[in-house]
Amino acid sequence: MEGDGSDSPVTIKNIERELICPACKELFTHPLILPCQHSICHKCVKELLLTLDDSFNDVGSDNSNQSSPRLRLPSPSMDKIDRINRPGWKRNSLTPRTTIFPCPGCEHDVDLGERGINGLFRNFTLETIVERYRQAARAATAIMCDLCKPPPQESTKSCMDCSASYCNECFKIHHPWGTIKAQHEYVGPTTNFRPKILMCPEHETERINMYCELCRRPVCHLCKLGGNHANHRVTTMSSAYKTLKEKLSKDIDYLIGKESQVKSQISELNLLMKETECNGERAKEEAITHFEKLFEILEERKSSVLKAIDSSKKLRLDKFQTQMEEYQGLLENNGLVGYAQEVLKETDQSCFVQTAKQLHLRIQKATESLKSFRPAAQTSFEDYVVNTSKQTELLGELSFFSSGIDVPEINEEQSKVYNNALINWHHPEKDKADSYVLEYRKISREDEMSWNEIEVCGTSKIIQDLENSSTYAFRVRAYKGSVCSPCSRELILHTPPAPVFSFLFDEKCGYNNEHLLLNLKRDRVESRAGFNLLLAAERIQVGYYTSLDYIIGDTGITKGKHFWAFRVEPYSYLVKVGVASSDKLQEWLRSPRDAVSPRYEQDSGHDSGSEDACFDSSQPFTLVTIGMKKFFIPKSPTSSNEPENRVLPMPTSIGIFLDYDKGKVSFYDMDHMKCLYERQVDCSHTLYPAFALMGSGGIQLEEPITAKYLEYQEDM
């Protein structure tokens, strides 16, 4: 035990942020575990309760309007602390005390019940790690022997039973062999002599020796026999210790194995930040140029536009920085992993179990982000361009200031267009606005369309009956009585080129439930690669190949124009999407599996060159390949054969436009409603949306925009 705290100095150094109390922002002191599994200093819990008590007693007073219940009091009185610690503390003589306050770590309400602080466990494991960190931080300041004659020597051991530190000679003198003291527990030099025994809060004389699987907390045998956990499923502490330790070890191994992936994504975030920086500076320069052309009339507006761009740039950079820090915390020898490695050093089973469960859930949540990496913000500043084409007398409307009401800001990330348009906006002074007016108009080259206005009480609205293949501008302004704020910056959205075609995945026609997993709503399909591919290894060795697994839509198309959209999961290995006729589907679904070489299977996913030979002839299907975060343009006689000219980044959402009457299918980037690829297709039979997967992958159909998209607004 002498080596604790010195065998991994890098890890100890990098886990400091895991050891900071969310309330006082300092290293934990006697941390307690709240019911939400977050830890907080013992003194901070007391101060939180005192603050709530003062707020309750001062209701109606002008001085009781505090900004946060987590305000720290400089010197709480001892009588109040005694009242808080006392079980059954009450607000008054009639009402039992049930203390509810927001956890500083997760903001969720925590109910301590009538027992108050006495009902909380002390986090001994975290306390040990904090002490280990303190020792590493003050490594230059040695702990001296308590028993040496002056001058004292540097201590090498600390006895937990004697609560003293010793040099080697003094330790031998005061702990001679053959005596009871020789059996004392000793550790490396320390100043923290705390008893490491976890006692039951309900039965203070009983030691914790079981684990309740229903409540997910340690309990004693009296809790199981006749207490609150009598009818609960309880396991032994050793079993819970073993299970949680195995899970936590696997979590750490997984994160360490993903270190190269995390570093790659951090590098990508760095590039995105640089791109955001460059685009932001470029947008500033363009804005300056426009304003300089307008001379004195626009001089007073210029600083506001620059401020808006800088604010947006800072917001996006902050999002990227936060996202990068989250991923940085997943690296080995850093943050979460380092903290978990320190927890694994805990040998006391009870202490380990109470700490490891919440840490295991945190790591599980962290690993979810590795499966679907998406940048936290956009890098483009295309919309931050001042429109100088209007006449000079209209410039007065370009007001970026308000006499009493801030300008609302449309949220680009939460606004989208599909079958309808969903517009969300944010208002810094939401409670100070009575209502909002959402304006929208179609942008036309021929003439200037007038604005349509809709009065909205909330901060979101669904716009219906928009024309297909059109560009619309949206803006919003706030009203407080008769006072109106200036309009927000305009948001430009492009509607799909055709009406949205609604369908679900067909679980009956050709669906292979051994390889594909379809959810209950039938709007998401995943390819389960692995064991079946291993079973086919012998056939692969002698020259045969694993074919694609096909799945189609449950509704066919026989006429008209239609558009549908979907998302391909970034982790997908190989996915083909497009359309196929009924006769071609019968051929695909009848063919024996693993029996056809991809050289003769045009849709197998291999670039055999068969598409070149048949490009000019109209075919009964069209599929494009997506995989490994890339979108692959099929070869054609008119395009370059250079691979880099045919590979595009995979869009967040992909749209397909089928014009049955003209026999043409097009593939769109939904983020910008931009056509990436189009070609002719034989429409002599019924066409179906067709999908194929190989290896691990997933496809999620876009849901139509309905009122349920506004539900989150109620929770804000």
Side-chain angles (χ1 to χ4, degrees):
M1 297 181 67
E2 295 180 43
D4 287 356
S6 60
D7 54 350
S8 55
V10 177
T11 301
I12 286 292
K13 179 181 178 181
N14 291 335
I15 66 173
E16 180 177 355
R17 60 181 175 182
E18 299 289 340
L19 310 180
I20 300 296
C21 173
C24 62
K25 307 302 181 183
E26 299 175 357
L27 290 176
F28 282 106
T29 303
H30 305 307
L32 302 177
I33 299 180
L34 299 178
C36 60
Q37 297 300 306
H38 289 95
S39 295
I40 184 174
C41 294
H42 184 265
K43 58 182 175 62
C44 294
V45 177
K46 291 181 178 179
E47 293 174 7
L48 283 171
L49 297 178
L50 286 172
T51 305
L52 290 175
D53 183 41
D54 290 341
S55 299
F56 176 80
N57 292 331
D58 296 338
V59 170
S61 172
D62 294 337
N63 298 325
S64 64
N65 184 20
Q66 303 183 30
S67 61
S68 171
R70 293 191 293 275
L71 289 176
R72 299 188 58 203
L73 300 183
S75 55
S77 60
M78 293 306 298
D79 60 332
K80 288 187 177 181
I81 291 179
D82 291 339
R83 280 190 288 128
I84 292 175
N85 286 329
R86 190 181 308 125
W89 178 49
K90 300 181 179 181
R91 293 181 185 270
N92 51 51
S93 59
L94 299 177
T95 306
R97 173 69 170 178
T98 303
T99 307
I100 300 177
F101 65 92
C103 168
C106 62
E107 302 294 338
H108 287 88
D109 286 339
V110 173
D111 187 357
L112 299 184
E114 295 187 11
R115 290 184 57 83
I117 297 178
N118 292 331
L120 299 178
F121 281 117
R122 188 169 169 183
N123 195 336
F124 285 120
T125 300
L126 177 57
E127 195 170 332
T128 300
I129 298 174
V130 170
E131 178 60 25
R132 202 178 297 159
Y133 175 83
R134 293 182 189 274
Q135 292 183 30
R138 60 173 180 258
T141 306
I143 299 176
M144 308 310 292
C145 177
D146 294 328
L147 281 300
C148 275
K149 295 181 180 180
Q153 301 295 317
E154 184 177 338
S155 65
T156 59
K157 299 179 179 67
S158 293
C159 179
M160 302 302 293
D161 296 282
C162 300
S163 299
S165 299
Y166 302 88
C167 64
N168 282 331
E169 294 301 325
C170 291
F171 186 81
K172 293 177 182 178
I173 294 173
H174 293 275
H175 295 77
W177 288 103
T179 65
I180 296 178
K181 284 191 174 183
Q183 301 176 6
H184 285 186
E185 178 186 3
Y186 65 91
V187 296
T190 181
T191 57
N192 181 26
F193 302 100
R194 48 98 178 165
K196 194 176 180 180
I197 300 176
L198 203 60
M199 307 302 292
C200 178
E202 299 291 334
H203 310 93
E204 298 178 356
T205 61
E206 297 297 328
R207 186 173 180 175
I208 293 297
N209 57 4
M210 297 181 181
Y211 183 76
C212 178
E213 296 184 350
L214 179 62
C215 302
R216 298 181 179 179
R217 61 172 292 173
V219 297
C220 71
H221 71 283
L222 292 181
C223 293
K224 171 60 179 174
L225 291 177
N228 297 330
H229 307 270
N231 298 322
H232 296 179
R233 182 178 177 180
V234 175
T235 185
T236 62
M237 188 60 67
S238 59
S239 174
Y241 172 83
K242 181 180 178 181
T243 301
L244 275 176
K245 191 159 188 175
E246 288 178 355
K247 289 181 178 180
L248 192 56
S249 299
K250 290 180 180 179
D251 291 337
I252 296 174
D253 292 339
Y254 178 82
L255 288 180
I256 294 175
K258 293 292 183 180
E259 183 168 5
S260 58
Q261 179 182 348
V262 176
K263 288 182 177 179
S264 173
Q265 293 174 353
I266 289 176
S267 299
E268 184 176 348
L269 288 171
N270 277 320
L271 293 176
L272 292 173
M273 291 179 67
K274 291 180 180 178
E275 185 178 350
T276 302
E277 186 77 33
C278 293
N279 290 343
E281 293 301 322
R282 187 180 300 112
K284 286 175 60 177
E285 293 174 1
E286 293 176 357
I288 291 174
T289 301
H290 286 300
F291 276 98
E292 287 179 346
K293 294 179 181 179
L294 300 178
F295 297 106
E296 297 179 356
I297 300 176
L298 295 180
E299 192 64 29
E300 59 181 346
R301 323 286 189 195
K302 181 171 60 175
S303 60
S304 298
V305 173
L306 298 182
K307 183 178 179 181
I309 294 174
D310 279 333
S311 176
S312 179
K313 181 182 73 174
K314 182 180 182 302
L315 178 62
R316 300 183 193 190
L317 290 175
D318 289 343
K319 290 182 179 180
F320 281 129
Q321 183 66 37
T322 300
Q323 188 177 17
M324 187 168 65
E325 289 176 358
E326 292 175 356
Y327 277 84
Q328 191 75 39
L330 304 184
L331 295 176
E332 185 181 7
N333 292 335
N334 207 324
L336 188 58
V337 176
Y339 176 57
Q341 289 173 331
E342 291 299 314
V343 172
L344 284 175
K345 295 178 182 178
E346 176 62 61
T347 57
D348 186 278
Q349 297 182 359
S350 301
C351 296
F352 177 84
V353 167
Q354 70 166 355
T355 304
K357 181 61 181 179
Q358 188 266 346
L359 185 57
H360 167 64
L361 296 176
R362 285 184 61 190
I363 293 179
Q364 275 191 327
K365 183 178 179 181
T367 55
E368 289 297 323
S369 64
L370 299 178
K371 298 180 181 179
S372 56
F373 173 72
R374 293 182 181 177
Q378 297 180 355
T379 63
S380 173
F381 283 75
E382 296 176 353
D383 296 331
Y384 282 81
V385 178
V386 179
N387 181 11
T388 59
S389 61
K390 295 182 180 180
Q391 299 178 359
T392 304
E393 57 268 22
L394 298 178
L395 292 176
E397 298 180 4
L398 293 175
S399 174
F400 294 91
F401 298 95
S402 170
S403 57
I405 306 179
D406 286 346
V407 181
E409 179 182 356
I410 295 181
N411 191 322
E412 298 182 25
E413 296 180 358
Q414 295 182 356
S415 299
K416 58 181 292 187
V417 65
Y418 190 38
N419 62 320
N420 297 316
L422 170 65
I423 309 299
N424 280 279
W425 58 89
H426 169 71
H427 193 208
E429 298 183 345
K430 179 180 178 182
D431 296 335
K432 295 184 179 181
D434 296 332
S435 62
Y436 301 89
V437 170
L438 176 63
E439 299 181 344
Y440 68 96
R441 70 177 181 182
K442 180 181 177 182
I443 300 177
S444 175
R445 295 182 179 179
E446 290 76 17
D447 53 1
E448 191 77 10
M449 304 291 289
S450 60
W451 290 92
N452 299 289
E453 296 186 355
I454 301 178
E455 185 174 357
V456 185
C457 294
T459 56
S460 59
K461 182 65 178 178
I462 293 176
I463 307 298
Q464 302 176 343
D465 301 326
L466 299 179
E467 297 183 18
N468 297 317
S469 191
S470 302
T471 303
Y472 282 85
F474 300 87
R475 67 186 187 187
V476 64
R477 63 181 185 268
Y479 277 88
K480 179 66 174 179
S482 59
V483 180
C484 171
S485 76
C487 290
S488 67
R489 181 175 51 84
E490 294 182 9
L491 173 66
I492 307 298
L493 294 178
H494 308 273
T495 58
V500 171
F501 178 59
S502 297
F503 68 92
L504 298 173
F505 288 116
D506 193 339
E507 81 280 20
K508 300 178 181 179
C509 180
Y511 169 63
N512 189 327
N513 56 11
E514 294 181 0
H515 293 185
L516 299 180
L517 179 64
L518 194 62
N519 66 351
L520 294 177
K521 295 174 61 178
R522 293 195 292 122
D523 64 349
R524 179 181 177 85
V525 64
E526 295 182 355
S527 175
R528 297 182 289 187
F531 187 68
N532 293 321
L533 186 61
L534 294 177
L535 293 178
E538 182 178 353
R539 295 192 294 275
I540 294 176
Q541 189 176 13
V542 296
Y544 290 92
Y545 298 83
T546 303
S547 65
L548 294 164
D549 292 299
Y550 293 95
I551 189 168
I552 63 174
D554 59 0
T555 307
I557 298 173
T558 57
K559 64 179 180 179
K561 299 178 180 180
H562 303 276
F563 184 87
W564 61 93
F566 52 88
R567 300 189 304 275
V568 175
E569 296 296 342
Y571 64 82
S572 300
Y573 173 67
L574 191 154
V575 174
K576 280 184 168 285
V577 297
V579 296
S581 66
S582 54
D583 60 335
K584 185 62 179 179
L585 288 171
Q586 293 178 5
E587 175 187 337
W588 285 344
L589 301 178
R590 281 202 311 266
S591 61
R593 296 184 53 79
D594 302 337
V596 181
S597 169
R599 172 60 59 178
Y600 305 102
E601 184 74 28
Q602 178 177 350
D603 55 286
S604 66
H606 294 260
D607 194 3
S608 62
S610 59
E611 293 182 26
D612 296 323
C614 306
F615 182 83
D616 293 332
S617 61
S618 184
Q619 297 185 10
F621 70 96
T622 292
L623 301 175
V624 298
T625 304
I626 301 168
M628 302 175 70
K629 299 184 180 180
K630 303 296 181 184
F631 183 96
F632 298 90
I633 303 295
K635 287 184 179 180
S636 69
T638 59
S639 66
S640 170
N641 290 329
E642 295 296 329
E644 57 269 17
N645 295 331
R646 299 172 48 223
V647 178
L648 302 174
M650 183 178 72
T652 304
S653 184
I654 301 168
I656 296 181
F657 168 42
L658 174 63
D659 190 336
Y660 189 93
D661 301 330
K662 294 184 178 180
K664 185 173 66 173
V665 62
S666 307
F667 298 83
Y668 280 76
D669 177 356
M670 282 287 290
D671 290 339
H672 307 93
M673 204 59 70
K674 175 184 177 183
C675 181
L676 303 177
Y677 172 70
E678 66 179 15
R679 65 169 292 176
Q680 295 297 123
V681 63
D682 182 8
C683 295
S684 57
H685 295 78
T686 302
L687 289 181
Y688 291 86
F691 307 85
L693 300 92
M694 177 186 289
S696 180
I699 300 174
Q700 173 70 55
L701 299 179
E702 286 282 4
E703 297 183 9
I705 296 177
T706 61
K708 73 174 185 177
Y709 279 88
L710 305 180
E711 291 178 358
Y712 78 95
Q713 193 70 27
E714 299 176 359
D715 300 331
M716 296 181 61

